[in-house]
Amino acid sequence: VDHKPQTFRRVRERFGLRLEDYVASFRSTQKERFTEGGSSDAFFFYSGDEKYLVKTCTAHEFFALLAIASEYAAYVCDPANRDTFLVRLLGAHCLRLYETAFYFLVMENVLKLDDDDPDRAPALDAAAAFDARPTAIAQTRVDIKGSWVNRTMAPPRPGQRVTC
């Protein structure tokens, strides 16, 4: 089930992400990665082209986000907030299997560089005006939840590709 589809469509359109490309990213399975995530016990995986990160969440987290989704979209879509560091949430979905609900959020993978993605459609003019994707290789990655314990990684070797 797609939750708040109009709200998240607005966010995707604001950043020049076409629905066709967004959907196609999840048809590919060639680079799937399932990772158990930190202390939250959430599961993460990437779309096949690694443009998007999908994270499971609890029902409480999911519905708390839905309660503020319209305000979130208004904020990140406002050109006055072009330099925000808030994650680009692109979808909120629920999958029911055998009477069990699985809630998950889709967000842009901010560590996926454009030079890795020659097929990405050019951003719309309005979106290009405040596109804040990274333009350099990340040297250090840390978890920003407040703890420094076990939250860093060794620097990559020259030329090594890493995934967060």
Side-chain angles (χ1 to χ4, degrees):
V1 176
D2 210 5
H3 289 265
K4 301 271 186 173
Q6 301 301 331
T7 299
F8 292 107
R9 179 185 303 161
R10 179 179 171 208
V11 174
R12 290 190 304 268
E13 288 175 353
R14 182 63 174 135
F15 293 106
L17 303 174
R18 298 182 325 177
L19 179 61
E20 301 81 25
D21 297 333
Y22 178 73
V23 171
S25 291
F26 291 98
R27 289 188 184 130
S28 173
T29 60
Q30 62 186 347
K31 294 183 181 179
E32 287 181 348
R33 282 188 206 66
F34 289 91
T35 307
E36 191 168 342
S39 61
S40 69
D41 287 330
F43 286 92
F44 299 86
F45 65 92
Y46 294 89
S47 60
D49 56 12
E50 298 184 44
K51 291 178 189 176
Y52 308 108
L53 172 68
V54 179
K55 179 186 178 194
T56 62
C57 60
T58 66
H60 178 76
E61 293 167 332
F62 187 81
F63 290 108
L65 171 69
L66 292 182
I68 63 166
S70 295
E71 291 84 358
Y72 165 82
Y75 182 85
V76 298
C77 292
D78 184 341
N81 300 317
R82 63 174 280 169
D83 294 326
T84 184
F85 287 110
L86 290 179
V87 67
R88 292 181 183 175
L89 292 169
L90 306 171
H93 312 279
C94 177
L95 177 64
R96 290 195 178 275
L97 297 171
Y98 305 107
E99 305 300 319
T100 301
F102 298 92
Y103 298 98
F104 56 98
L105 305 172
V106 179
M107 57 198 79
E108 189 173 43
N109 179 3
V110 298
L111 297 178
K112 176 74 172 161
L113 298 177
D114 278 342
D115 62 31
D116 293 342
D117 185 13
D119 297 327
R120 182 166 189 238
L124 302 174
D125 289 342
F130 70 106
D131 189 356
R133 280 174 298 192
T135 57
I137 296 172
Q139 297 298 312
T140 303
R141 286 183 263 182
V142 296
D143 187 308
I144 60 171
K145 292 179 185 169
S147 172
W148 288 85
V149 178
N150 295 322
R151 300 291 187 176
T152 60
M153 62 179 273
R157 295 182 310 275
Q160 177 185 2
R161 295 187 65 111
V162 295
T163 302
C164 181

